[in-house]
Amino acid sequence: MTVKEYNQCVDLFADGIYRFILKNIKDSDRAQDIVQDTFEKVWHKITEISFAKAKSYFFSTAYHTMLDIIKKEKRMVNEEFEQLDVRSHETQYSDINEILNRALDTLPEVQKNAILLRDYEGYNYSEIGEILDLNESQVKVYIYRARKHLQQYLVKVDLVI
């Protein structure tokens, strides 16, 4: 890929990558950092990437960068929680967006990411497979299972009241 093609990819994919990461981690500053790290990682491998495969490569890199950061933060958080007395309380909201976000958070990571890429970002099954390192049939199964889970979760009456 040339520098001109790289710059074109940045213009084309930056917003989509940011939205995808933001839906997963729900922190705009961290999402921006991940997008920046993604573009830096791709820049270092610019000669190895073909322009035709750039979209999948950018999203795969962003996805794996996000996973690395989440794993690192989980280790740090687990150490902090051992020292704190954690008390939970139940909150009830009638905001549909909040309910949808909570529903998405109940999904396993791979299902959540597949649903976000398909329904929020509009990628086809093969593109999602390339991004998540899955084959097309696995993607279809994960999306089906995620939709079934969301359907069951969202029909609970106590969530909407």
Side-chain angles (χ1 to χ4, degrees):
M1 175 175 5
T2 66
V3 173
K4 183 178 178 180
E5 291 171 334
Y6 174 84
N7 289 332
Q8 185 180 4
C9 288
V10 170
D11 291 338
L12 291 173
F13 308 137
D15 290 337
I17 293 171
Y18 174 75
R19 284 191 314 268
F20 172 64
I21 299 299
L22 185 62
K23 272 289 188 192
N24 275 288
I25 62 173
K26 295 172 183 57
D27 182 342
S28 62
D29 291 334
R30 285 180 26 210
Q32 289 173 352
D33 290 342
I34 291 170
V35 172
Q36 185 67 32
D37 289 347
T38 298
F39 287 120
E40 181 183 358
K41 287 178 181 180
V42 173
W43 176 257
H44 290 293
K45 296 189 178 227
I46 192 171
T47 57
E48 302 170 21
I49 305 165
S50 73
F51 184 67
K53 295 285 185 177
K55 183 178 183 180
S56 296
Y57 196 88
F58 273 97
F59 272 86
S60 294
T61 304
Y63 173 70
H64 291 292
T65 301
M66 177 190 67
L67 290 180
D68 291 344
I69 288 173
I70 289 171
K71 287 176 189 174
K72 180 181 175 183
E73 289 175 354
K74 274 187 181 177
R75 279 181 282 187
M76 292 175 9
V77 168
N78 285 339
E79 292 171 4
E80 290 175 13
F81 273 132
E82 290 174 359
Q83 299 170 3
L84 296 174
D85 179 22
V86 180
R87 294 189 173 109
S88 66
H89 63 345
E90 213 172 297
T91 58
Q92 292 188 358
Y93 297 100
S94 62
D95 183 23
I96 191 70
N97 194 29
E98 182 69 28
I99 293 169
L100 289 173
N101 285 330
R102 279 191 290 164
L104 283 170
D105 288 339
T106 63
L107 292 171
E109 284 299 313
V110 69
Q111 289 180 9
K112 178 181 176 181
N113 290 316
I115 276 285
L116 288 173
L117 287 169
R118 178 70 178 168
D119 294 337
Y120 283 89
E121 297 298 327
Y123 289 101
N124 65 39
Y125 296 121
S126 62
E127 290 173 326
I128 295 169
E130 288 179 31
I131 292 168
L132 301 179
D133 294 327
L134 303 169
N135 65 45
E136 197 170 321
S137 61
Q138 287 174 310
V139 170
K140 289 177 183 179
V141 168
Y142 284 134
I143 289 173
Y144 173 80
R145 289 178 182 166
R147 287 179 178 158
K148 284 306 237 184
H149 175 78
L150 291 173
Q151 181 182 27
Q152 292 172 351
Y153 183 89
L154 294 173
V155 297
K156 294 179 183 174
V157 176
D158 58 331
L159 291 175
V160 225
I161 297 176

